[in-house]
């Protein structure tokens, strides 16, 4: 079964799939950047629909999504706006502990990386087909709700603050094949290197790898 729902972004959650998920701190991107990326995607999508259909349209749409996500992630890596609470070791550890606590009960964690203002996850949902709560459309959406809700509460307590911690919506992408799994795996663990935080991915303390994907 495939669950499809939409907030600001479309979310397609087929059963037994592996997902690349990114979520970020509230206010970590300028609103004008978000709007610009959204307008660019919509313009590209309109252009594609005039010339493509069916499988060709899906392939080209995916290419556009990948390109714009790359730009989105580059903006986050710049730390140009908003908070960077995950730079604080005690806050990053809260998030890592909760990610690992849900491993094996709500997803199988393949890899994750906690950056100063966002988090990347690579999770296998094959064993977790149905959400435990009727309030959530898929097992993945339920897992993310638990993860973001608990970490927001604990992190705010640690920071002695109130208010929104995470941006409401997460980016999620279905991993389509082994080649894409390998590409995304290395993208995640090399994010601190790309952002100039370390020179080798193994130096970053907030990366977790269940097994190296070759």
């Amino acid at each position: 079964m495939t669950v499809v729902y939409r907030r600001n972004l479309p979310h397609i959650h087929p059963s037994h799939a592996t997902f690349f998920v990114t979520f970020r701190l509230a206010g970590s991107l300028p609103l004008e950047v978000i709007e610009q990326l959204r307008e660019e995607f919509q313009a590209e999508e309109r252009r594609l629909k005039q010339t493509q259909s069916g499988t060709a349209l899906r392939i080209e749409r995916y290419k556009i999504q990948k390109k714009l996500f790359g730009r989105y992630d580059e903006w986050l890596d710049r730390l140009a706006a908003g908070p960077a609470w995950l730079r604080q070791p005690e806050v990053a550890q809260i998030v890592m502990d909760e990610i690992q606590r849900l491993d094996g009960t709500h997803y199988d964690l393949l890899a994750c990386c906690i950056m100063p203002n966002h988090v990347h996850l690579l999770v296998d949902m094959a064993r977790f087909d149905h959400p435990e709560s009727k309030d959530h459309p898929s097992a993945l959406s339920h897992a993310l709700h638990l993860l973001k809700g608990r970490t927001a509460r604990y992190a705010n307590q640690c920071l002695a603050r109130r208010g929104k911690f995470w941006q409401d919506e997460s980016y999620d992408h279905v991993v389509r094949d082994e080649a894409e799994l390998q590409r995304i795996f290395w993208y995640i663990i090399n994010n601190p290197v790309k952002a100039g935080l370390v020179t080798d991915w193994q130096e970053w303390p907030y990366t977790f790898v269940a097994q190296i994907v070759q």
Side-chain angles (χ1 to χ4, degrees):
M1 180 182 72
T2 297
V3 174
V4 180
Y5 66 100
R6 177 181 287 273
R7 295 176 70 184
N8 291 316
L9 299 170
H11 298 272
I12 302 171
H13 293 175
S15 300
H16 308 295
T18 297
F19 292 88
F20 172 38
V21 180
T22 298
F23 53 96
R24 64 186 177 91
L25 295 178
S28 53
L29 278 181
L31 292 177
E32 59 269 23
V33 171
I34 298 171
E35 188 58 33
Q36 178 185 347
L37 292 175
R38 181 183 294 117
E39 289 177 357
E40 287 182 17
F41 176 76
Q42 291 172 346
E44 290 280 2
E45 191 171 42
R46 287 193 297 269
R47 179 185 62 79
L48 281 177
K49 287 180 178 178
Q50 293 174 356
T51 59
Q52 305 285 350
S53 62
T55 301
L57 176 60
R58 289 193 296 272
I59 291 171
E60 293 303 314
R61 181 188 285 126
Y62 169 69
K63 291 178 181 178
I64 293 170
Q65 289 172 336
K66 186 167 68 170
K67 180 182 72 174
L68 291 179
F69 173 78
R71 292 182 55 196
Y72 164 93
D73 206 39
E74 286 174 3
W75 268 102
L76 288 172
D77 289 342
R78 293 178 194 176
L79 299 174
W85 294 312
L86 302 176
R87 191 190 289 275
Q88 300 185 32
E90 61 272 24
V91 178
Q93 194 60 53
I94 286 170
V95 178
M96 180 63 79
D97 288 346
E98 194 61 28
I99 289 171
Q100 294 181 323
R101 197 178 79 82
L102 294 176
D103 183 22
T105 59
H106 290 79
Y107 47 69
D108 287 321
L109 179 64
L110 304 181
C112 70
C113 181
I114 300 171
M115 297 291 287
N117 61 3
H118 65 288
V119 177
H120 294 305
L121 299 177
L122 185 60
V123 293
D124 183 353
M125 300 300 297
R127 299 194 301 123
F128 308 94
D129 228 7
H130 302 290
E132 297 175 5
S133 170
K134 294 181 180 179
D135 296 330
H136 300 282
S138 73
L140 178 61
S141 65
H142 183 219
L144 293 175
H145 174 80
L146 292 175
L147 174 58
K148 293 171 72 175
R150 291 170 179 172
T151 53
R153 182 167 67 253
Y154 301 149
N156 273 342
Q157 290 173 355
C158 179
L159 294 166
R161 69 177 296 275
R162 295 183 179 182
K164 183 182 289 189
F165 187 78
W166 298 113
Q167 195 69 28
D168 290 334
E169 195 162 13
S170 304
Y171 167 89
D172 52 69
H173 168 74
V174 180
V175 180
R176 301 182 299 175
D177 52 37
E178 287 297 320
E180 187 172 55
L181 177 67
Q182 184 181 50
R183 181 185 65 78
I184 290 172
F185 172 84
W186 288 105
Y187 180 92
I188 289 173
I189 67 173
N190 278 315
N191 197 179
V193 178
K194 179 172 68 74
L197 300 173
V198 291
T199 57
D200 185 278
W201 73 266
Q202 296 180 80
E203 298 171 0
W204 188 246
Y206 304 111
T207 294
F208 169 84
V209 172
Q211 183 177 348
I212 296 291
V213 176
Q214 300 290 353

